[in-house]
Each structure stands twice: as C-alpha cells, then as structure tokens.
Amino acid sequence: LLDESAADRAVRNMQLVLKDAPDHPHALAARIYLCLAWRMRGEAVLAEKELLAAIAANPWAARAHLVLAHVYTDQSRWEEGAASFRAAMDTAREKDDGVYTGPAAYEEAVLGAAILERRRGETDAAERFARQYLQLRKDDPDGLFVLATVLEQRGERTHLEETVRLLRQAVRLEPGRTEFLARL
C-alpha cells in the first residue's frame, strides 16, 4: 500500500493489525510501516511519538531510528535527524537480523545522512556520506544522483564536469527517473 501511495489504507490496515495482534512477532514492523504511512500523510507528530515508543522498547531496531531520522529531516530538524541517522548506523552495525538491522539499514542511513547534510547546506559532510554510500553500493543511481547534487550545490566550476558525468551515469542506469533527467 505504501508503494502505491495508499497511505490512508495503510494507516487503517496497520492500526487494525496492531489492535488485533499487539504481541505478533512482526508487530514492530507494523509500527514502523504505520509511521511510514503517517509520514506520507504529513502526520509527523503521530509518527514521531510512535517511533520514540518503538525505539524505547527496541533500541536495537535500526529501521525505527532510520524512519525517525526521515521524519525529523522532513521537518528540517537537522540535529535530531543527524543524531537519528547516526543511531541507525550504529545499531545497524551491531548485528544483522535481515529486517531491522544489518547492512541494508546501514546503507540507507548513510544515504539519508548525505541527503540531510546536503539539505542543510553542509556540503563537505554530504559529500563524505555520499562517497561512503557509493563505496558500499558502487554505481547506485541514487548515490550518484545525491553526490552530483552535492557537487552542483557547491557551485564550483571545478566540479561541473564530475557533476555532469555522475548525472549521465545515473540516467543511463535508470533512464525513467525524471528527477535525474531534469537535473541533467
């Protein structure tokens, strides 16, 4: 439902699941998906409250930290967002359960941190995170795009050639992504 941008239905479904089976082994996933749906609907207060409760009960759950970081970033709460991305990276490295922690969660946190730093104008930090992400996921179109936008944001002519090369590579890898084409 979230992939289809059906946030209202996702909220209803996740609330029913959590009401009917609060002790289900996947209740944490349902809480995280509920918060993602609230985030899609712009209900940051509800998402933040639920995520803080989920993190208090499951501090090891990198995905909960990750979603909270995005909620904070959406609101330009830079320091809280950066701290949550760091917490997601730290907890993701501690173990790999394949769902809530592990390399995939770590990679998402690194990319999210790059985007946060770019949005708040910290281009040095954004570039470090973007390059770190590309070391983890070589030639990933999103990583290439983020790095290109960081270099573009700097506005230095010395980065223009690399920016264009990165954008062209991202477009070749995913030709249908309109944000890539528009930026190029």
Side-chain angles (χ1 to χ4, degrees):
L1 293 174
L2 293 175
D3 289 342
E4 297 170 7
S5 297
D8 294 334
R9 284 189 7 221
V11 166
R12 281 192 306 275
N13 287 357
M14 291 300 103
Q15 286 176 326
L16 285 172
V17 166
L18 289 167
K19 181 182 172 201
D20 292 344
D23 296 325
H24 191 278
H26 298 295
L28 177 58
R31 291 174 83 179
I32 292 170
Y33 283 121
L34 174 62
C35 293
L36 285 168
W38 278 332
R39 178 179 174 230
M40 285 178 75
R41 290 187 353 181
E43 297 182 68
V45 172
L46 292 172
E48 179 183 7
K49 180 181 175 186
E50 185 69 27
L51 287 163
L52 289 172
I55 289 167
N58 308 283
W60 53 268
R63 291 238 176 249
H65 291 282
L66 184 59
V67 174
L68 182 61
H70 286 297
V71 168
Y72 288 146
T73 300
D74 292 345
Q75 300 173 69
S76 302
R77 291 167 64 182
W78 308 127
E79 294 306 319
E80 293 161 300
S84 293
F85 279 124
R86 279 191 302 278
M89 285 182 243
D90 291 343
T91 56
R93 274 188 261 184
E94 290 175 8
K95 67 177 185 176
D96 180 6
D97 69 2
V99 178
Y100 302 108
T101 65
Y106 181 80
E107 292 166 1
E108 288 179 45
V110 171
L111 182 62
I115 293 167
L116 176 144
E117 297 297 351
R118 186 197 73 214
R119 287 186 57 199
R120 75 169 164 174
E122 297 292 334
T123 55
D124 288 343
E127 182 178 351
R128 269 193 317 278
F129 281 121
R131 290 192 188 280
Q132 179 184 353
Y133 179 76
L134 286 168
Q135 286 178 344
L136 298 167
R137 304 227 16 211
K138 185 172 173 45
D139 296 331
D140 179 81
D142 290 314
L144 295 167
F145 179 74
V146 170
L147 180 55
T149 60
V150 169
L151 296 176
E152 178 187 36
Q153 186 174 349
R154 285 200 169 143
E156 298 170 10
R157 224 159 143 69
T158 56
H159 295 299
L160 181 60
E161 196 173 298
E162 185 179 7
T163 300
V164 171
R165 182 185 60 75
L166 291 167
L167 288 171
R168 284 183 177 157
Q169 188 175 357
V171 167
R172 274 194 307 276
L173 291 167
E174 287 196 30
R177 297 276 296 270
T178 55
E179 69 269 27
F180 294 177
L181 291 167
R183 187 70 90 170
L184 184 60

